[in-house]
Amino acid sequence: MQFKRTVRHPEWQSTTRKESAYRRSCQRKQDALPLLAPLIAEKQRPVEEEFERRRVASLAWEASRRSQIASDWRAVRRRLFALPDYARKAVVDRYHSSRWFPREARILYALLWSELCAVSVRPEDMPTMDAAGRLAECQRFNDMARRGGLDAAQVRARYAYSPGAMAFLAPGFQPTEDASEPHLYLHTSRGRWSILFDRVRAFEDFNHNCDPSGERRSGVFEALGSRFRFEVLSLNHCDDEPAAVAWNIDLSRRWVWIGLEDETPSLGGVDKVPDPQAD
């Protein structure tokens, strides 16, 4: 863990200039409303009390900030030590290879994604984890992918729609010379788009018939009289093959496919699609 040095002259430190500025500020507030000046003056703190308040607040903020930095370091270290030695070494060596990298946890987070793309990790090299733990992690990542927003970003989730789903999303589309098929952003109904995502996010009726793996990765639902299903596909971090280590957030990524109940999931020729509910 590495922390930046604390500033030599903190903002809360009292000086003659700061005290004078505070007094002028108090006086201006009273002068702005002469009839209420006595009431305003009663609520204003004396100089000594005000700077003591600033000191306490600044120290509390600094303690909170350092606690957050330490928490970020602990989290990224847990992810590093969940990797085999050779994968962890690739990330750490890159981290130390440049003196221009800020020594912050966020840099290691970024390097986890970029450097591991060049490393092929075998499941047997991973630290030991029982079957129940692997299943729980897969369920958690699949739920994050379905929820969208920041959760989906953490598992690098992308979204795909079948031809049947696109027809549902663009009910009034007519082919033209420029567009033989509906375009996701130009021709689809945002209201229908939101309906599909709301159904996928809220889905909890997982059972052996629709989700035999038990990983909460597939389900069937109804929207506006049509039957749909979704599949959360786990792929390797470095290619489009099924994930060999689906229970590790840094060695796998997710695709959320949505289509009609009788269609087959396919990611061929699909572009990246953002979460429509994200701001």
Side-chain angles (χ1 to χ4, degrees):
M1 295 186 185
Q2 296 174 316
F3 296 86
K4 294 181 180 179
R5 291 184 178 181
T6 305
V7 294
R8 186 183 297 272
H9 300 293
E11 290 295 324
W12 56 262
Q13 189 173 25
S14 176
T15 64
T16 302
R17 180 182 62 79
K18 291 180 180 180
E19 292 176 1
S20 298
Y22 176 67
R23 292 191 181 95
R24 289 195 301 272
S25 174
C26 292
Q27 188 61 48
R28 281 196 301 271
K29 292 176 182 178
Q30 297 175 32
D31 294 342
L33 299 169
L35 296 178
L36 300 178
L39 294 177
I40 295 174
E42 288 180 6
K43 296 182 178 295
Q44 291 172 336
R45 298 182 180 87
V47 174
E48 296 78 7
E49 183 180 336
E50 171 62 20
F51 279 90
E52 176 62 18
R53 182 196 66 81
R54 294 183 185 183
R55 184 186 71 83
V56 172
S58 179
L59 292 178
W61 176 84
E62 181 66 22
S64 174
R65 187 182 69 86
R66 289 177 65 85
S67 295
Q68 183 60 51
I69 293 174
S71 176
D72 291 342
W73 275 110
R74 286 192 292 268
V76 76
R77 282 168 59 87
R78 282 194 297 269
R79 288 171 61 168
L80 276 172
F81 282 93
L83 298 170
D85 292 342
Y86 57 87
R88 180 169 64 252
K89 184 177 184 301
V91 177
V92 175
D93 286 351
R94 181 71 180 99
Y95 177 73
H96 290 298
S97 66
S98 174
R99 63 189 181 92
W100 302 111
F101 282 154
R103 300 311 178 190
E104 299 174 0
R106 62 184 177 87
I107 300 299
L108 272 176
Y109 276 118
L111 293 177
L112 275 171
W113 285 9
S114 62
E115 297 306 310
L116 288 178
C117 286
V119 180
S120 178
V121 178
R122 297 172 298 179
E124 57 268 24
D125 294 338
M126 295 293 294
T128 303
M129 178 182 290
D130 58 23
R134 294 183 180 185
L135 178 62
E137 286 296 276
C138 290
Q139 291 176 341
R140 183 167 70 90
F141 298 150
N142 291 339
D143 285 344
M144 291 170 66
R146 289 191 300 113
R147 282 197 294 268
L150 293 177
D151 284 339
Q154 292 185 53
V155 294
R156 288 172 284 179
R158 301 168 75 181
Y159 303 86
Y161 303 89
S162 72
M166 288 298 295
F168 171 83
L169 293 173
F173 174 75
Q174 296 294 332
T176 64
E177 294 182 359
D178 297 328
S180 58
E181 297 179 354
H183 188 280
L184 189 63
Y185 297 106
L186 299 179
H187 306 119
T188 56
S189 164
R190 188 171 181 83
R192 291 196 169 205
W193 205 6
S194 298
I195 288 173
L196 285 187
F197 265 81
D198 288 342
R199 296 290 193 278
V200 172
R201 284 176 175 149
F203 188 85
E204 289 294 336
D205 189 22
F206 293 101
N207 54 63
H208 181 72
N209 291 328
C210 69
D211 186 44
S213 68
E215 295 180 357
R216 298 171 63 88
R217 69 184 184 189
S218 59
V220 178
F221 61 92
E222 184 175 342
L224 300 183
S226 298
R227 297 280 293 176
F228 293 89
R229 71 187 182 95
F230 67 87
E231 293 275 353
V232 181
L233 307 176
S234 302
L235 306 180
N236 283 329
H237 63 299
C238 54
D239 55 45
D240 290 337
E241 297 299 320
V245 191
W247 61 91
N248 186 287
I249 196 171
D250 296 309
L251 299 176
S252 63
R253 54 195 175 89
R254 264 65 182 173
W255 273 89
V256 181
W257 176 90
I258 304 174
L260 297 179
E261 185 177 12
D262 58 351
E263 290 183 302
T264 302
S266 174
L267 303 181
V270 179
D271 294 328
K272 181 178 179 180
V273 179
D275 175 5
Q277 299 288 346
D279 294 330

